Amino acid sequence: MSVAELIEGRHVCICAGAGGVGKTTTSAAIAMGMASRGLKVAVLTIDPAKRLASSLGLSELANEERRIEPELFERHGIEMRGELWAMMLDAKRTWDELIERRAPDRATRDAILGNRIYQQLSTAVAGTTEYMALERIYELHEERRYDLLVLDTPPTRNALDFLDAPERLSRFIDSRSLQLFLRPGLFGVRALGRGTGLIFGMLKRITGSDLLSDMSEFFGVFGDMAVGIRERATRVGELMADPRTAFLLVTSPRTDAVDEAIAFRRRLRESRMPFDGAIVNRVHEVTGVDASADDVEPDLGALLGDELGRKVARNFADYLRVAERDRENVRRLRREVRAEPLIEVPLFDDDVHDLEGLARVCGFLFAEDAVRA
Amino acid sequence: MQRLLEKRLVFVAGKGGVGRTTVAAAVGLAAARSGKRTIVCEVARQERMSHAFRREGAGFRETELAPRLFGISIDPDKSLEEFLVDQIGSRRLASLLFHNRIFDYLAAATPGLREMATIGKVWELAQLERRRGSDSPYDLVVVDMQATGHGLGALRTPRTFADIARVGPVRRKAEMIDAFLRDRGQTGVLAVALPEEMPVVETVEFAEALRRQMGLELDLTVMNAMLPERFSRADADAIEAIDGAHGAPAVAAALRAAVSEHHRARAQRAQLRRLRAELDGEVVTLPYLFQPDLGLAEWQRLSGELERRT
């Protein structure tokens, strides 16, 4: 069992998890591993380490996917039978393109792009980056140019925020109904009765009239487009639950990360979302050892002298303590994910930020024995 | 550290997994120990800090966790409702507005309104004159703040919001908060980093963005979870010379763990040097703790380390 089996036949692979657990590296390694098996794969990352990006030959940020040079893999002795493409999400650009495509005419387009409410959208509305990542994946999925799309999800405060992104955007778009209320004397205000005047009086007192008129203008020009974008947001949401989409949960063995992974798993189950396995990065591993640090200290002393032997034994005691915590947390996670596979990637001696590092991660993600019962 | 504790508001910034909550708690403990009435604000939902002190979370209430140390979890919706009460001057009318469908639409559609209310609450906690005369002022407010992307998120919200609103009471309030956040005498920023490639890059970028967008400097950077330097190069050579050649699995594992630790500690020192070279301000280290999970006792210990090392 390996990641290749977990996501076989899928078109989209979403790697979700908290920040700081190695999600970007894992996504890149999965994409590379699948590409090396002959697929045409694109990986969409949000905020990659510069050294990782430049080691893939991607010096500048690009919202368009770019192919990683085949020679690069050759040079590092990695067999690449398929194609690996990578791109980095530019949320503002993706929004702008969406508006450009959907606007019925030039004037509407310019009015929206120039509106101040719109300009704050891509940065200030929570969940917009998350949504735009999905939107981009959806678009590529529709184009059917790739066998597999791997999505490295944005580092949200809480991994669960990601799942709510399409719903939040829909909620935002629903607020276009505001325009009905914001224009004085229109049908909306009268239909809603006397209380509405009071509400507007208070709103105006708080926000000032400019904010309300900007919003009115925005939703006025946004008008008919909103319906289309909303429908699209619904389809983007559906893509997450599509049987051709795989959900992998990435975590570290730290207690807080595992707590969050467990909450995420439960949430997926409640929302009837697919779940295909968990990947635990940076595990302090000790295999086949049942002796304690005290037991080995005499042997170490004989090999290294008393002083160094004692230091090595003390270091081992600390290591075993952390390894025990990792093992317990992985056990907890395993109980939660039940029958689904769980792949462990050990802690390396150095950071992964180049092709060799990715290849090493692939060795664990795609190893036959990587999944232990 | 002493300089930091003399501010009224300190943001502890860093990405997920770097130990931000731990450092925020350590700063809070140090401030309380030095006699300051201190409150630590958590903006995330986990309420990790208040859970460590007592069984249940503090919620949206200022709760005393230890002598002079308070905690609060800042809920955006509750902050927004409180903001409305203050602006309208009537709890009944504010509640009417808050639960109104049109307002709900407006709140969803106005970029950053909830974020604005959240930072507004943080600001309110830091004022000598509280919104309710019966609330006592704090000497120091510590905020456990997630830094997202290259942006400064919460810190920039008031400026963004003032620009959106242009006129009116919201704008005036937003400008007041923005001015407070930009005032180095009042507001301090502490960044938490890990001795790894990505967090170091992000911390340097954060410092640049902080300067460019807010005109603020990092007052202190904490390089967290530094492994002890147990082995010299000669030690490592001696260990590596026999690594793998020994039969007993436990002994081999102990030797491997030592070599691995040596390499990781060395890589960490290189990252620390890099961070120090690229940042102007002070960088202080905190040790990696081998305890399975960190709680109050570890926070106390790190808090002491923080005071000693700065």
Side-chain angles (χ1 to χ4, degrees):
Chain A
M1 179 68 80
S2 83
V3 168
E5 285 173 62
L6 298 189
I7 63 176
E8 197 192 346
R10 308 299 178 91
H11 292 188
V12 176
C13 172
I14 299 177
C15 299
V21 298
K23 230 168 13 193
T24 302
T25 306
T26 303
S27 310
I30 289 173
M32 186 170 120
M34 295 304 281
S36 75
R37 279 161 177 74
L39 298 186
K40 185 175 175 188
V41 185
V43 56
L44 172 61
T45 113
I46 311 300
D47 193 14
K50 276 187 185 135
R51 277 171 72 183
L52 179 61
S54 63
S55 70
L56 293 173
L58 301 175
S59 47
E60 74 263 26
L61 282 160
N63 203 34
E64 295 306 315
E65 63 273 26
R66 286 178 47 189
R67 185 173 179 186
I68 314 298
E69 295 294 334
E71 297 81 56
L72 210 59
F73 299 105
E74 240 167 76
R75 221 177 303 145
H76 289 85
I78 298 163
E79 193 194 358
M80 178 55 64
R81 295 208 303 264
E83 293 175 19
L84 178 59
W85 295 68
M87 70 196 118
M88 300 171 211
L89 181 77
D90 178 342
K92 177 87 174 79
R93 190 71 230 120
T94 305
W95 259 116
D96 290 352
E97 282 171 11
L98 189 68
I99 298 297
E100 280 161 19
R101 268 202 313 274
R102 299 235 149 215
D105 52 61
R106 237 190 150 78
T108 308
R109 187 196 68 187
D110 293 347
I112 294 178
L113 294 182
N115 182 279
R116 286 181 313 131
I117 298 289
Y118 171 78
Q119 284 164 0
Q120 301 299 338
L121 260 186
S122 61
T123 49
V125 176
T128 323
T129 308
E130 288 86 341
Y131 177 75
M132 280 302 142
L134 285 169
E135 161 72 35
R136 193 87 178 87
I137 286 287
Y138 180 77
E139 187 187 319
L140 289 164
H141 176 69
E142 289 284 280
E143 291 172 13
R144 299 179 193 285
R145 284 186 289 124
Y146 295 94
D147 301 316
L148 174 69
L149 301 162
V150 180
L151 173 63
D152 163 27
T153 59
T156 48
R157 182 178 299 156
N158 188 311
L160 298 175
D161 289 348
F162 181 73
L163 297 176
D164 299 328
E167 173 55 31
R168 278 198 213 197
L169 186 83
S170 296
R171 224 170 98 77
F172 171 76
I173 288 170
D174 267 349
S175 52
R176 73 184 182 280
S177 329
L178 270 176
Q179 63 167 309
L180 283 179
F181 311 124
L182 294 175
R183 289 188 197 150
L186 272 186
F187 146 83
V189 175
R190 263 181 276 129
L192 280 168
R194 283 183 303 144
T196 314
L198 177 67
I199 294 290
F200 270 93
M202 285 195 286
L203 271 181
K204 228 172 225 174
R205 250 163 75 194
I206 295 166
T207 63
S209 52
D210 277 20
L211 177 61
L212 292 183
S213 66
D214 273 351
M215 298 204 28
S216 172
E217 184 203 284
F218 174 62
F219 286 105
V221 286
F222 204 48
D224 299 336
M225 284 176 62
V227 180
I229 291 179
R230 204 215 139 120
E231 279 168 15
R232 194 171 164 92
T234 307
R235 287 202 301 277
V236 167
E238 283 165 5
L239 175 65
M240 284 206 282
D242 194 287
R244 285 166 303 175
T245 299
F247 249 100
L248 295 181
L249 192 52
V250 185
T251 183
S252 83
R254 288 165 39 135
T255 304
D256 49 348
V258 166
D259 288 345
E260 200 166 330
I262 287 174
F264 193 82
R265 174 69 193 99
R266 288 190 184 148
R267 173 67 200 280
L268 284 177
R269 192 178 292 135
E270 282 161 20
S271 325
R272 298 173 190 285
M273 302 277 279
F275 171 75
D276 300 275
I279 293 164
V280 188
N281 283 322
R282 313 176 97 175
V283 179
H284 291 76
E285 289 203 314
V286 188
T287 41
V289 174
D290 47 11
S292 75
D294 287 343
D295 296 339
V296 296
E297 193 174 326
D299 282 356
L300 291 169
L303 284 166
L304 298 162
D306 280 351
E307 199 194 333
L308 184 53
R310 202 162 31 244
K311 274 202 283 187
V312 172
R314 188 147 321 134
N315 177 68
F316 192 45
D318 282 338
Y319 187 88
L320 287 177
R321 247 200 305 177
V322 182
E324 178 50 41
R325 176 207 66 182
D326 285 7
R327 197 160 41 221
E328 178 50 35
N329 281 333
V330 170
R331 205 177 293 143
R332 243 168 11 105
L333 182 62
R334 201 183 290 281
R335 267 202 301 275
E336 187 65 32
V337 303
R338 298 179 195 165
E340 288 100 352
L342 186 150
I343 299 176
E344 291 179 41
V345 179
L347 177 73
F348 296 152
D349 290 351
D350 48 16
D351 275 0
V352 177
H353 42 58
D354 53 19
L355 269 187
E356 277 98 350
L358 283 186
R360 210 141 48 106
V361 175
C362 279
F364 290 92
L365 293 179
F366 292 88
E368 289 305 308
D369 64 348
V371 181
R372 295 187 204 96
Chain B
M1 185 73 169
Q2 209 42 54
R3 253 188 345 215
L4 207 58
L5 299 189
E6 275 155 23
K7 318 256 183 191
R8 298 206 52 76
L9 181 54
V10 170
F11 287 93
V12 177
K15 286 224 173 153
V18 298
R20 202 181 53 246
T21 303
T22 299
V23 173
V27 171
L29 284 164
R33 226 178 8 244
S34 76
K36 290 182 186 294
R37 190 169 189 268
T38 308
I39 187 163
V40 179
C41 311
E42 291 184 84
V43 187
R45 292 173 220 166
Q46 285 106 331
E47 297 203 53
R48 291 224 296 272
M49 188 171 125
S50 44
H51 278 289
F53 282 89
R54 31 164 49 220
R55 226 161 280 155
E56 75 275 24
F60 192 63
R61 279 190 322 270
E62 296 161 45
T63 309
E64 190 157 14
L65 303 172
R68 288 184 302 278
L69 182 63
F70 293 74
I72 185 172
S73 170
I74 299 195
D75 178 88
D77 283 326
K78 294 202 171 106
S79 304
L80 187 55
E81 192 167 1
E82 195 176 288
F83 175 77
L84 292 181
V85 173
D86 291 354
Q87 291 298 319
I88 293 169
S90 152
R91 182 164 287 280
R92 197 183 59 80
L93 282 180
S95 170
L96 183 70
L97 180 59
F98 187 72
H99 296 287
N100 179 278
R101 193 161 53 96
I102 301 171
F103 181 77
D104 200 37
Y105 282 142
L106 181 84
T110 310
L113 183 62
R114 280 191 163 74
E115 290 80 356
M116 177 63 207
T118 304
I119 193 82
K121 179 63 194 173
V122 167
W123 171 84
E124 192 275 323
L125 287 167
Q127 301 309 300
L128 289 173
E129 212 165 293
R130 302 289 308 277
R131 59 188 282 274
R132 282 194 315 218
S134 55
D135 289 339
S136 305
Y138 291 100
D139 299 311
L140 182 68
V141 178
V142 180
V143 188
D144 176 355
M145 179 185 88
Q146 175 123 10
T148 52
H150 304 286
L152 306 169
L155 284 176
R156 267 181 49 197
T157 304
R159 185 70 259 153
T160 307
F161 210 80
D163 289 345
I164 291 180
R166 276 197 293 217
V167 295
V170 171
R171 170 170 187 131
R172 279 195 297 279
K173 178 97 181 263
E175 284 189 324
M176 205 153 67
I177 296 173
D178 183 53
F180 189 88
L181 297 184
R182 285 169 196 270
D183 180 352
R184 285 204 72 189
Q186 313 263 31
T187 300
V189 185
L190 182 158
V192 185
L194 285 181
E196 294 165 21
E197 174 75 19
M198 217 25 203
V200 166
V201 172
E202 282 162 359
T203 305
V204 173
E205 284 173 353
F206 178 73
E208 283 164 8
L210 192 64
R211 186 175 304 137
R212 204 175 50 241
Q213 298 172 8
M214 296 294 296
L216 289 173
E217 299 289 327
L218 278 182
D219 294 279
L220 183 65
T221 301
V222 172
M223 189 63 124
N224 200 14
M226 292 289 291
L227 290 167
E229 270 178 297
R230 291 189 226 241
F231 305 107
S232 66
R233 191 174 289 250
D235 288 347
D237 288 344
I239 297 164
E240 263 175 310
I242 47 166
D243 186 19
H246 201 274
V251 173
L255 294 170
R256 241 190 341 266
V259 173
S260 163
E261 172 106 351
H262 173 69
H263 285 300
R264 284 189 295 135
R266 229 176 42 179
Q268 286 193 345
R269 304 289 141 177
Q271 294 292 354
L272 178 63
R273 279 194 300 276
R274 198 159 71 93
L275 185 66
R276 286 202 160 123
E278 292 184 30
L279 280 186
D280 295 331
E282 185 183 0
V283 178
V284 58
T285 62
L286 280 181
Y288 180 87
L289 300 184
F290 292 93
Q291 274 74 15
D293 293 296
L294 304 192
L296 194 49
E298 288 74 30
W299 289 349
Q300 294 277 16
R301 187 183 146 196
L302 290 173
S303 163
E305 292 284 338
L306 207 50
E307 273 182 305
R308 256 193 306 285
R309 294 174 183 210
T310 49

